[in-house]
Amino acid sequence: MGRWKEACIQLKMVVITAALGVAATAAPAWGSLGGDAASVQADQVHMRASRQTTVAEGYTVHEMHTPGGTVVKEFVSPDGKVFGVAWQGPWPPDMRQVLGSYFDQYVQAAQSRAGGRIRRGPVMIEQPGLVVHTGGHMRAFGGTAYIPEMLPSGVRAESIQ
Amino acid sequence: MTDFTKLFIAGLGLACAFSAGCGGGGSSSSKTNTVVKSGQNVAPITVSAGPSGNYANGAFTSVTVCVPGSVTCQTISGVLVDTGSTGLRILSSALTIKLTQQETDTGNPVVECLPFLGSFTWGPVQTADVQIAGEKASAVSIQVLSDTDFKAPTKCTGFGVPSADTLDTLGANGILGVGFFAQDCGVDCLLASTNPGLYYECPTSGCVLTGESLAKQVQNPVALFASDNNGVVIELPASSAPAATLSGSLVFGIGTQSNNALGGAAVYTVDGNGFFSVSYKGAAYKKSFIDSGSNAYFFLDSSITGLPDCTTDTGFYCPSSPQTLSAINLGLNKTSGTVNFTVANAETLFAKPGDSVFGQLGGPSTFPGSGSTQDFFDWGLPFFYGRNVFTAIEGKSTPGGTGPYWAF
């Protein structure tokens, strides 16, 4: 996405900031990718994060800042479903929370070793129903995950970042 | 990225490639590097299949650990040299001596969960005197990797990647993290309330997050050496065709001895996250880095490079014939230099089981779609072949300035 387009979205954005001091244990155990908009709040509580909401063309972004400095963005379609998540920060977020019901698929995919050789580098998982990419190194991790089938029409995968 | 930005970066890249006005650097692909073979600050390293026998592009060395203040020591071979992480981590299964367990003030053992990109390591934090070549550091916090000594908490398994605490899953007897940082976590782990899931105290009732001071965190042992403690140089000869092994050196210190001077190496400084910029085909990828622990050139994807993914060895590139490519590194200090590199078909490279050195191994790294700001180059171990690469530790003074930086 171009810098100018981002700037336009900034102008249009609606900001709701809520800092929650609620204990993490109060969160329901269900997470957010593929979930409904309510799961965003569950994630916020679980991660003890502050949140701001940005309205873009074709989707809404809920951006959460965890106390550990990691930023998690959850992308919600007009019909209220989380179709993608992106994170960036010194350490990865709690993927069980962020990926929700897709966590097990991620774990299985991350465990499968392609070919006979050890591969050490960025993780790229591209399966029917789940795409996960991670990158970076110690103290600077980033990643995205989305469900290709749930991308709202007109929204491109690279918007999830 | 806008077209204007792309044009600007392309122009900058060209200007830098053909002039010295960008702070030096330049192409180093045609140079032949010299590998220092001896010195009290020189540890031999070998690129080999490693102790598990199936590593590709893994640089291994030996590390001696001792019970603190004693002569009870053990030398561990097959330890992966990793400039992309910080800290010494040894498989519990490779240790025959009992090191000193670190405890909290209340007497609970401290255990760590450290996420890497594709795996995490889990196991107790212990204290050891560490000796590598002629260099020594006393009472160093290290991690002993074990799935069984303590049960990994759900927050640790919640990173979603598998553990790498056995020879089979790690592919090495340990990891020697000699990257930019002096400790692995840094200030994020000082308080239990901000600890992102790395340090735990583990009473018998189970592991809970704890705050861990910088001094107690797992340390870059190099930073604790009495001398030659401002960084490392990895020196490996050039290698293009697949080979069984490749011998080189891990040299401690930058400009501290006659054998570790920067010489003509150009210094590339990095941003606060340890990244510099790599420009490829006119676009700048600002989250790029150099990492001896990555085992290929990982960069972009087929839509940008035109290199097809492998069908069997997924995660690597499989062009029908070797492709010579060019990219421009750009430090935060405006140093720039061109890197010419070749990517061959990974499945062809892997054809001979005895080979483990692959100077032309590449793979995709990028985020979905082209033009994501998350896209990056990860210059893995093949980048080090034929090029002496200096990694300066944060806050440490060197003749090339204060770390962190890379120089080559």
Side-chain angles (χ1 to χ4, degrees):
Chain A
M1 186 186 294
R3 206 169 283 167
W4 304 121
K5 192 171 178 195
E6 276 178 351
C8 291
I9 290 169
Q10 296 281 327
L11 289 173
K12 282 196 286 185
M13 87 180 182
V14 181
V15 180
I16 308 161
T17 304
L20 290 187
V22 184
T25 48
W30 48 292
S32 83
L33 187 64
D36 59 27
S39 70
V40 176
Q41 185 166 354
D43 286 353
Q44 180 191 0
V45 173
H46 180 85
M47 294 187 283
R48 290 172 291 135
S50 64
R51 171 159 65 124
Q52 48 176 264
T53 304
T54 309
V55 179
E57 209 164 310
Y59 57 93
T60 307
V61 185
H62 298 263
E63 181 174 322
M64 286 166 272
H65 294 249
T66 71
T70 297
V71 178
V72 178
K73 294 181 183 176
E74 303 193 338
F75 294 74
V76 180
S77 64
D79 62 354
K81 297 287 185 192
V82 180
F83 62 88
V85 293
W87 61 94
Q88 199 172 315
W91 304 100
D94 183 340
M95 299 293 284
R96 188 179 279 117
Q97 180 71 24
V98 168
L99 295 182
S101 58
Y102 290 83
F103 179 75
D104 289 342
Q105 188 178 349
Y106 173 63
V107 169
Q108 282 205 332
Q111 274 175 345
S112 67
R113 186 191 293 173
R117 302 281 186 165
I118 285 177
R119 179 183 179 280
R120 280 276 148 69
V123 174
M124 302 179 71
I125 292 164
E126 296 186 348
Q127 296 189 338
L130 181 65
V131 174
V132 184
H133 290 235
T134 69
H137 55 70
M138 182 175 271
R139 294 203 203 177
F141 288 87
T144 61
Y146 67 98
I147 306 162
E149 293 77 7
M150 285 177 61
L151 283 181
S153 71
V155 175
R156 301 196 313 169
E158 56 261 41
S159 302
I160 305 165
Q161 58 175 280
Chain B
M1 182 182 298
T2 62
D3 289 342
F4 172 76
T5 318
K6 274 186 187 165
L7 273 174
F8 176 72
I9 290 162
L12 186 68
L14 282 172
C16 292
F18 296 112
S19 83
C22 290
S27 174
S28 53
S29 58
S30 58
K31 288 185 201 161
T32 305
N33 62 327
T34 306
V35 176
V36 171
K37 288 289 185 189
S38 63
Q40 58 84 29
N41 61 334
V42 179
I45 54 178
T46 306
V47 181
S48 71
S52 70
N54 62 345
Y55 222 101
N57 289 334
F60 297 93
T61 193
S62 291
V63 176
T64 299
V65 289
C66 307
V67 176
S70 83
V71 292
T72 306
C73 300
Q74 183 189 354
T75 299
I76 315 276
S77 63
V79 176
L80 189 77
V81 178
D82 181 16
T83 62
S85 74
T86 285
L88 177 61
R89 297 160 213 286
I90 303 281
L91 290 181
S92 171
S93 57
L95 268 181
T96 55
I97 60 172
K98 192 171 159 48
L99 300 173
T100 307
Q101 174 64 45
Q102 188 186 103
E103 294 181 345
T104 61
D105 293 343
T106 52
N108 291 323
V110 176
V111 186
E112 187 183 27
C113 173
L114 188 75
F116 288 81
L117 278 179
S119 59
F120 69 86
T121 58
W122 167 253
V125 178
Q126 299 188 352
T127 309
D129 291 346
V130 175
Q131 184 173 344
I132 314 170
E135 308 283 3
K136 289 179 188 174
S138 298
V140 181
S141 294
I142 72 166
Q143 188 188 19
V144 175
L145 311 184
S146 165
D147 287 330
T148 52
D149 289 354
F150 299 88
K151 185 179 175 346
T154 55
K155 192 168 174 69
C156 180
T157 56
F159 286 125
V161 284
S163 68
D165 301 325
T166 64
L167 181 56
D168 183 48
T169 53
L170 190 68
N173 288 327
I175 300 176
L176 176 62
V178 289
F180 284 149
F181 304 116
Q183 310 87 22
D184 57 3
C185 184
V187 294
D188 295 334
C189 291
L190 292 179
L191 301 172
S193 59
T194 57
N195 177 347
L198 272 67
Y199 283 96
Y200 296 83
E201 57 179 310
C202 294
T204 49
S205 55
C207 299
V208 292
L209 287 171
T210 186
E212 181 85 337
S213 69
L214 295 181
K216 292 183 80 178
Q217 291 179 17
V218 171
Q219 304 284 317
N220 185 336
V222 176
L224 298 179
F225 288 157
S227 57
D228 307 316
N229 54 19
N230 56 358
V232 298
V233 200
I234 291 181
E235 304 186 351
L236 288 162
S239 176
S240 50
T245 62
L246 188 68
S247 295
S249 296
L250 170 62
V251 183
F252 298 108
I254 297 175
T256 58
Q257 307 265 0
S258 58
N259 65 5
N260 60 16
L262 278 165
V267 170
Y268 292 78
T269 57
V270 295
D271 67 17
N273 291 315
F275 294 134
F276 70 172
S277 182
V278 175
S279 174
Y280 178 77
K281 289 186 177 173
Y285 300 99
K286 295 179 178 176
K287 293 191 170 181
S288 298
F289 56 97
I290 300 170
D291 174 16
S292 69
S294 294
N295 63 352
Y297 300 114
F298 290 111
F299 63 108
L300 309 178
D301 74 356
S302 294
S303 72
I304 305 172
T305 62
L307 302 168
D309 291 341
C310 300
T311 50
T312 303
D313 285 287
T314 54
F316 294 110
Y317 283 132
C318 274
S320 55
S321 63
Q323 302 292 308
T324 298
L325 307 167
S326 182
I328 300 165
N329 290 326
L330 179 63
L332 218 66
N333 58 349
K334 308 292 188 215
T335 300
S336 74
T338 301
V339 177
N340 297 312
F341 62 110
T342 301
V343 175
N345 186 304
E347 287 166 6
T348 308
L349 295 174
F350 292 159
K352 195 173 147 208
D355 288 338
S356 59
V357 184
F358 307 104
Q360 301 180 339
L361 184 63
S365 70
T366 205
F367 285 74
S370 58
S372 167
T373 55
Q374 303 258 36
D375 288 345
F376 62 97
F377 270 66
D378 169 359
W379 293 119
L381 198 68
F383 180 83
F384 292 73
Y385 300 164
R387 186 182 275 120
N388 292 353
V389 180
F390 297 73
T391 303
I393 297 170
E394 60 174 343
K396 295 277 190 179
S397 162
T398 81
T402 302
Y405 68 75
W406 294 297
F408 45 90

